[in-house]
Amino acid sequence: MGTSRRRFLGWSALVAGLAFSPDVLGGRSPAVPTPAQSAGVFGLGVASGDPLPDGVVLWTRLSRNPFAPGGGMEPRPVRVDWEVAADESMTRIVRRGTVHATPEWGHSVHVDVRGLAPAADHFYRFRALGEISTVGRTRTAPAPSAHVDTLTLAVATCQNWADGYYHAYADLAAHAPDVVLHLGDYIYEKPIPAQGGARTTAALPLSAIREAVDLDDYRERYALYKSDPDLQLAHAMAPFVITFDDHEVDNNWAAAVPEDGTPPVPFALRRARALRAWWENTPVRVTARPNGTVVRAHRRLGFGDLVDLTLLDTRSHRSDQVNGDNDTGQNEHTADPSRTILGAAQERWLLDGFASSRHRWDVLGQQVPMADLARTVGSTRAVSMDGWSGYEASRARILDGAADRGVRNLVSLAGDIHRSVVADLRTSYTDDSAVRGVELAATSITSGGDGEDSDDGDRRLKEASPHVRFGNSQRGYLLNRIHSDRWEAEFRVTPSVRSPRGTLHRRALITIPDSTAEVDVV
């Protein structure tokens, strides 16, 4: 499925080297400046997401001043034309249409294009108010019945803007993956230092120096993050499959329960505003658009006979964390079968999906780790109460349910922890329970700032967790090349995100053979 290196080089040269004029949609084909140079109403870039065999979601958000309330747009609907082509020069148009961007939804655009060829590169752009956007590349999924030899899947998560630069996204774009999975913490609601943190020369909206609470606060926080040229480039190069974690709303929230004791009604209003801003700024379908605090973010995407990707929502339906939400030992509260991290309906949906899957690899995309990542604190085997370790019965129901339904290869892709980890998936980590699969936890894009190859937390983790096969504490992302006979996971990291210039390198290559949960680390 992957785009060839030669094809990518040709496409990137097209994006970087040419300039649009307003009559391009009429047929002439000079191209756009890079996202870093984009201005005007399309200054927040373009994106695509949730690829299907015959379609994909196209996204943009109009803005005259992204750091102003309402994006500096007049409070009226705006006509937006869009088109999709089979070639980089946008001469072979295969679909086109018109939508209206409304102030109600932040002048965002979500076009659910259908009727496209499967397993193919497509190129798209928008026009509004006499201006034309950059060109984006996207890729449809293979047909459900297609035999697929290879899929390239990148995983990104946790991109605190103030902690550093997005070097990982420039590297990710250079690899032109078939699809990018973003596991949350796309923005951080916490105040940004007035000096910009690691980005000391950057301009900030006034709302950035306080915690995001109102709708405009969240909209402006997304605008700040989306102004980054490397993030824009990654979005313009590949379709994203995106969910949210806690910081899109508030740290460690659990369904209707906030972290800090905010009364229920104010927190419900805050959560509704935050989820609304999340939908406005991500390339997801209308089916994921929130109705107040009600949102269906969990969904399933298939890639031929190779991969069944199930994206989970471990925030909106969970029971509240126990034991004070502190890293501590497991007990009768974490083992309570009435508690759940997914909610009963999502658990049933997930298990039903396992029962009907006929794919080589069943993949869970989720915000928090499923494996116990234990550390010894005094005489206590301590684990996080925010991950699946605090919901032991829920984890057992899913992992045992997958085995009972004949899942062949189960891989969990997780984020949240700001480090790279490879671990066994087990029903229990305090006995000799069977290995049910493998978890690959991706490190953060920037969150946590510059890391080390192995910090104290990494060393303590490995000492107390014999089921951990690999760990690293630097920033970066995870690049997966999934084959019919093996899964190759490349952990790509950078020495520093605080410097405006940076490169990434391969820290480790993990190979998981078909039909075995064993891993090989190089």
Side-chain angles (χ1 to χ4, degrees):
M1 273 190 72
T3 298
S4 70
R5 178 68 175 168
R6 177 178 298 173
R7 184 171 179 80
F8 165 72
L9 288 171
W11 162 231
S12 61
L14 172 82
V15 173
L18 302 173
F20 255 164
S21 64
D23 59 358
V24 172
L25 286 178
R28 297 202 298 274
S29 58
V32 263
T34 62
Q37 298 169 325
S38 297
V41 294
F42 295 108
L44 296 177
V46 301
S48 67
D50 284 4
L52 300 175
D54 70 335
V56 70
V57 176
L58 305 181
W59 173 94
T60 192
R61 182 179 158 213
L62 307 182
S63 170
R64 288 292 190 192
N65 178 359
F67 296 165
M73 298 291 292
E74 294 182 10
R76 61 179 179 82
V78 177
R79 171 178 168 150
V80 181
D81 298 319
W82 59 268
E83 60 185 12
V84 179
D87 62 323
E88 300 94 326
S89 58
M90 301 297 294
T91 57
R92 290 186 287 136
I93 303 300
V94 295
R95 290 289 183 274
R96 57 163 43 105
T98 298
V99 294
H100 285 83
T102 66
E104 177 187 10
W105 295 101
H107 285 101
S108 62
V109 174
H110 298 72
V111 181
D112 192 350
V113 182
R114 297 300 175 95
L116 302 177
D121 284 353
H122 298 276
F123 301 88
Y124 62 95
R125 63 190 176 196
F126 301 90
R127 179 168 61 185
L129 300 174
E131 300 181 28
I132 294 181
S133 75
T134 63
V135 171
R137 167 194 174 260
T138 190
R139 187 167 180 83
T140 48
S145 60
H147 174 68
V148 179
D149 291 321
T150 304
L151 178 77
T152 304
L153 169 67
V155 181
T157 185
C158 301
Q159 55 192 49
N160 193 330
W161 182 92
D163 281 354
Y165 293 87
Y166 293 162
H167 305 316
Y169 279 125
D171 188 86
L172 184 155
H175 284 86
D178 297 316
V179 64
V180 179
L181 178 62
H182 197 290
L183 295 175
D185 291 347
Y186 192 100
I187 63 163
Y188 279 69
E189 85 290 8
K190 301 301 183 186
I192 294 173
Q195 295 76 27
R199 306 191 187 206
T200 55
T201 61
L204 296 175
L206 292 177
S207 63
I209 60 175
R210 63 176 181 267
E211 183 152 344
V213 175
D214 295 327
L215 179 58
D216 280 333
D217 295 343
Y218 286 107
R219 283 173 171 172
E220 290 165 23
R221 200 65 54 89
Y222 278 100
L224 176 64
Y225 280 55
K226 284 183 169 294
S227 67
D228 183 274
D230 291 329
L231 178 56
Q232 287 197 20
L233 181 61
H235 272 300
M237 186 55 66
F240 275 53
V241 177
I242 299 182
T243 190
F244 51 80
D245 194 17
D246 54 338
H247 288 290
E248 284 87 349
V249 179
D250 185 31
N251 184 56
N252 279 22
W253 63 280
V257 182
E259 178 191 41
D260 58 4
T262 301
V265 171
F267 180 66
L269 291 171
R270 180 184 184 183
R271 185 158 57 111
R273 295 162 183 155
L275 293 174
R276 186 188 194 94
W278 170 79
W279 185 83
E280 290 174 352
N281 287 279
T282 52
V284 295
R285 287 189 164 80
V286 173
T287 52
R289 186 170 66 189
N291 180 10
T293 61
V294 178
V295 61
R296 183 186 171 98
H298 59 282
R299 53 205 191 271
R300 187 175 289 115
L301 298 168
F303 296 85
D305 65 348
L306 187 65
V307 169
D308 185 58
L309 173 60
T310 302
L311 192 62
L312 301 179
D313 177 358
T314 61
R315 284 291 158 198
S316 302
H317 314 287
R318 67 159 67 195
S319 308
D320 192 15
Q321 297 94 338
V322 294
N323 299 329
D325 196 13
N326 296 311
D327 286 11
T328 187
Q330 291 158 320
N331 54 23
E332 69 275 11
H333 302 300
T334 62
D336 184 350
S338 70
R339 298 180 64 252
T340 173
I341 197 170
L342 298 179
Q346 190 179 182
E347 276 195 18
R348 289 193 299 271
W349 170 83
L350 175 56
L351 292 173
D352 288 345
F354 286 150
S356 60
S357 175
R358 298 296 180 266
H359 296 78
R360 184 65 57 96
W361 302 90
D362 283 275
V363 182
L364 302 179
Q366 55 184 317
Q367 298 88 339
V368 294
M370 205 170 203
D372 272 8
L373 302 181
R375 296 176 178 85
T376 301
V377 178
S379 60
T380 300
R381 179 184 179 276
V383 295
S384 169
M385 294 296 105
D386 190 55
W388 288 75
S389 301
Y391 302 80
E392 294 181 271
S394 192
R395 178 173 61 196
R397 288 193 293 269
I398 298 307
L399 293 181
D400 288 343
D404 293 343
R405 289 158 178 79
V407 169
R408 177 172 176 168
N409 294 301
L410 182 64
V411 176
S412 167
L413 300 174
D416 186 65
I417 57 174
H418 306 174
R419 60 183 67 245
S420 303
V421 176
V422 179
D424 297 340
L425 286 177
R426 297 175 181 266
T427 301
S428 171
Y429 290 89
T430 56
D431 57 30
D432 294 326
S433 63
V435 177
R436 300 300 195 194
V438 176
E439 181 156 74
L440 306 170
T443 188
S444 61
I445 296 290
T446 56
S447 300
D450 291 345
E452 304 173 51
D453 187 68
S454 179
D455 61 6
D456 181 63
D458 177 62
R459 290 185 287 271
R460 293 172 59 206
L461 172 66
K462 292 170 180 174
E463 289 170 359
S465 305
H467 52 277
V468 168
R469 308 302 183 184
F470 169 76
N472 171 270
S473 305
Q474 294 169 301
R475 309 285 78 83
Y477 73 104
L478 175 60
L479 183 63
N480 302 282
R481 298 176 181 90
I482 309 167
H483 308 275
S484 56
D485 64 341
R486 69 194 185 283
W487 181 302
E488 295 176 336
E490 180 179 351
F491 289 88
R492 296 189 61 79
V493 300
T494 181
S496 174
V497 293
R498 295 188 66 84
S499 170
R501 298 181 180 275
T503 59
L504 277 78
H505 65 275
R506 175 190 289 183
R507 173 57 184 83
L509 181 65
I510 309 297
T511 302
I512 309 168
D514 174 33
S515 301
T516 176
E518 294 298 321
V519 301
D520 178 47
V521 181
V522 178

